[in-house]
Amino acid sequence: MNVRRLIPVTAVTGAVALGLTALSACSSSDAADGGNGDKLNVTASFYPMQFLAEKIGGEHVAVTSLTKPGVEPHDLELTPRQIGSISDSDYVLYLKGIQPAVDDAIKQSGVKNTVDAATLTTLEDHGSEVGGHDHEGEEGHGHEGEEAHEEHSEGDGHNHGEEGGADPHIWLDPVKYAEVAQGVGKSLEKADPDHAADYKKNTEALVAELGELNTAFETGLKNTATKTFITTHSAFGYLAERYGLTQQGIAGIDPEAEPSPARIQEIHTIAEEEKATTVFFETLASDKTAKTLAKDTGLKTGVLDPLEGITDKSLGADYIEVMESNLAALQKALGAK
């Protein structure tokens, strides 16, 4: 994962103007009113939002994701065409705090039906010592200025939120993701009332599926030899809190950065004390950091996918399958009984 980049507001504003001028294509706004039977044009910011829109919208929506497969969502830079497509949408689903460029473009798009998934559940601060779990140094990854990032050379540094250090990785907790799904379902019912019954039915089916996933995690992680896991990308604060685990992140704001000698020693000590066995890395970033740390500490490496995108390297075809792979990886690393 590359060092997070912020797009200057002036650049975004100019791109918005260009996108709106060049692409004032016809928006199927009638679809929102059920007037012409066309599909609702939905824009999703990145994969977790796309999955919800497709599962709940079903045959009544045409979903476009702003983040292509394989692109690290935090680093997304929007083209004028993409900005124009946002303005032409009937409905936009995003998660504020993950992608600053998207947040800015949506704010200026003028789209009536915009839904911020972060408002559909309760966000928490997974900084140090929150909820009894030590998520070392998570305060170091806000998006409000790279200068602040440079000052945090240690700690796992993954706070994408804009206010109070809120962690936006809500989709990695099936329970919170289900809460978001319910909110998305209700908003789609309002945006396209002619198909409200189908949206309600699809929402109920998805919430049930997420409930089964939650049960699988609860059961599968109930009895383990250790509760501590080590990861390059500290995206799993909600998951750790939900299932009584402790997430230990590697030093730096960037999962691909080399950990400091002090942090390597600290992780080594933690691994010995907590009987941790594995350093996890993700599919959209290099495994270099994980392998370096594993070599220095005698630990194994494995994949724990933060599900920010699906590619041919993903251990599953969709959210549910990848989460099941994550569960299997955690069970193996934690010594599930």
Side-chain angles (χ1 to χ4, degrees):
M1 190 177 302
N2 298 324
V3 174
R4 313 301 182 223
R5 296 190 294 273
L6 285 177
I7 300 175
V9 174
T10 52
V12 172
T13 303
V16 169
L18 178 58
L20 294 180
T21 301
L23 294 164
S24 56
C26 57
S27 167
S28 57
S29 56
D30 288 342
D33 301 323
N36 60 9
D38 290 343
K39 293 186 177 182
L40 198 72
N41 288 329
V42 175
T43 295
S45 57
F46 72 130
Y47 179 71
M49 302 299 101
Q50 175 189 346
F51 179 78
L52 290 180
E54 291 176 343
K55 293 286 284 187
I56 297 172
E59 64 183 7
H60 304 303
V61 300
V63 183
T64 300
S65 177
L66 294 172
T67 309
K68 295 180 180 179
V71 173
E72 215 296 324
H74 305 288
D75 299 330
L76 181 68
E77 295 182 8
L78 297 176
T79 66
R81 181 173 294 277
Q82 286 180 305
I83 293 170
S85 72
I86 294 174
S87 299
D88 291 336
S89 302
D90 298 314
Y91 179 100
V92 177
L93 179 59
Y94 72 114
L95 180 56
K96 188 176 182 181
I98 285 280
Q99 298 167 292
V102 173
D103 295 349
D104 290 338
I106 290 173
K107 189 184 301 182
Q108 300 178 57
S109 69
V111 176
K112 177 184 177 182
N113 296 304
T114 60
V115 178
D116 173 11
T119 65
L120 303 177
T121 186
T122 304
L123 268 64
E124 300 169 10
D125 181 352
H126 289 129
S128 182
E129 302 297 343
V130 172
H133 303 292
D134 180 14
H135 305 294
E136 182 79 22
E138 293 208 35
E139 67 275 13
H141 194 183
H143 281 301
E144 306 80 43
E146 295 298 317
E147 297 81 8
H149 295 180
E150 296 301 325
E151 294 172 5
H152 293 82
S153 60
E154 296 197 13
D156 52 47
H158 269 79
N159 159 28
H160 304 275
E162 294 184 353
E163 300 172 0
D167 177 0
H169 295 88
I170 48 179
W171 66 91
L172 291 167
D173 174 354
V175 176
K176 283 193 174 293
Y177 200 42
E179 291 176 0
V180 174
Q182 290 175 322
V184 170
K186 290 177 182 177
S187 67
L188 280 172
E189 289 177 36
K190 291 181 180 179
D192 185 13
D194 280 4
H195 300 116
D198 285 345
Y199 296 141
K200 183 177 178 63
K201 179 181 177 182
N202 293 343
T203 300
E204 290 174 349
L206 177 56
V207 168
E209 199 171 2
L210 292 172
E212 292 175 1
L213 182 65
N214 174 51
T215 299
F217 267 83
E218 282 184 336
T219 304
L221 299 174
K222 189 173 183 179
N223 296 308
T224 57
T226 179
K227 296 295 183 183
T228 299
F229 64 97
I230 301 166
T231 176
T232 55
H233 185 183
S234 300
F236 302 92
Y238 290 107
L239 185 151
E241 186 170 1
R242 177 67 60 189
Y243 304 112
L245 307 178
T246 298
Q247 169 184 242
Q248 285 289 347
I250 297 174
I253 63 171
D254 183 347
E256 295 179 14
E258 292 287 345
S260 68
R263 184 56 176 163
I264 290 176
Q265 183 56 47
E266 188 176 7
I267 291 291
H268 184 65
T269 300
I270 290 169
E272 285 188 337
E273 293 178 350
E274 303 297 332
K275 298 182 174 62
T277 64
T278 307
V279 180
F280 286 114
F281 61 95
E282 61 183 270
T283 52
L284 294 184
S286 168
D287 60 358
K288 182 179 179 182
T289 301
K291 286 184 174 179
T292 297
L293 184 57
K295 181 180 179 181
D296 291 337
T297 57
L299 300 174
K300 301 173 184 177
T301 59
V303 173
L304 197 61
D305 196 329
L307 265 160
E308 295 178 343
I310 295 287
T311 70
D312 55 4
K313 294 182 181 179
S314 298
L315 300 178
D318 63 9
Y319 171 87
I320 299 293
E321 289 186 4
V322 174
M323 282 294 282
E324 289 172 344
S325 294
N326 281 345
L327 172 56
L330 284 169
Q331 287 178 302
K332 181 178 180 181
L334 298 176
K337 301 171 184 177

